Amino acid sequence: MPRSRINGNFIDKTFSIVANILLRIIPTTSGEKEAFTYYRDGMSAQSEGNYAEALQNYYEAMRLEIDPYDRSYILYNIGLIHTSNGEHTKALEYYFRALERNPFLPQAFNNMAVICHYRGEQAIRQGDSEIAEAWFDQAAEYWKQAIALTPGNYIEAHNWLKITGRFE
């Protein structure tokens, strides 16, 4: 049974009903509808912490989805799962792939910056300030891109850029 039919909470059920109505009235191919169903089921599994199931659904959605914009969100969500699992190199790869298809994903830039900042902090703990500065510089570049796309968001990142002298 598709996950969209077994969701128990009100928000998931409401989203599923609205999504099903939209799929019926918006002219889309059967492949696009199937891709969306896998994507929706992936989001549902991800929200419940069922990452293996979510990845299976996202990979299937990627196989079926042809629109680069829609694929960018699938790739972004795969990146989120890898971030949650501490697989930062894989996460960065998926965020890059998402941004190749849709360069207007500030959340991908933000997540990449967070990973780079984390790696900078790790380098400091290991006593390698030169490597740390390189990671922090990279984090700054990603945060600048996120902020440029959504001025007023990412206030903490904006403050960090100012405090560290990386904001131009």
Side-chain angles (χ1 to χ4, degrees):
M1 174 183 306
R3 172 172 276 283
S4 57
R5 294 198 184 164
I6 59 173
N7 285 332
N9 76 45
F10 175 77
I11 293 173
D12 281 346
K13 283 183 180 179
T14 303
F15 176 77
S16 293
I17 290 168
V18 171
N20 286 332
I21 291 169
L22 288 174
L23 281 176
R24 282 191 218 120
I25 62 173
I26 295 175
T28 56
T29 66
S30 62
E32 290 169 322
K33 288 178 184 178
E34 189 177 5
F36 179 76
T37 299
Y38 280 109
Y39 177 67
R40 182 185 61 210
D41 289 350
M43 287 191 308
S44 179
Q46 183 177 355
S47 72
E48 294 172 6
N50 297 327
Y51 296 147
E53 180 184 344
L55 286 173
Q56 287 177 327
N57 281 295
Y58 289 146
Y59 293 143
E60 193 61 28
M62 282 297 293
R63 189 181 67 76
L64 297 165
E65 184 57 66
I66 58 172
D67 181 72
Y69 183 81
D70 291 341
R71 289 174 66 88
S72 73
Y73 283 95
I74 299 167
L75 291 164
Y76 171 77
N77 282 340
I78 293 171
L80 284 176
I81 291 171
H82 289 300
T83 300
S84 295
N85 289 337
E87 300 168 322
H88 295 152
T89 301
K90 277 186 177 180
L92 288 170
E93 175 189 329
Y94 280 97
Y95 294 140
F96 276 120
R97 290 174 62 190
L99 287 165
E100 285 174 347
R101 289 154 182 82
N102 179 4
F104 302 104
L105 279 174
Q107 60 271 39
F109 284 116
N110 178 65
N111 292 357
M112 291 165 59
V114 168
I115 290 170
C116 291
H117 188 271
Y118 172 76
R119 288 186 169 177
E121 289 177 336
Q122 283 182 315
I124 285 176
R125 282 193 290 279
Q126 295 170 354
D128 197 337
S129 60
E130 190 174 315
I131 295 293
E133 282 303 308
W135 280 116
F136 290 145
D137 287 344
Q138 188 60 62
E141 292 307 310
Y142 292 140
W143 270 322
K144 287 178 195 174
Q145 289 177 284
I147 291 166
L149 289 171
T150 55
N153 286 352
Y154 309 113
I155 302 301
E156 288 180 34
H158 192 260
N159 289 338
W160 179 83
L161 289 168
K162 283 183 177 179
I163 290 167
T164 62
R166 290 179 168 90
F167 192 78
E168 297 165 3

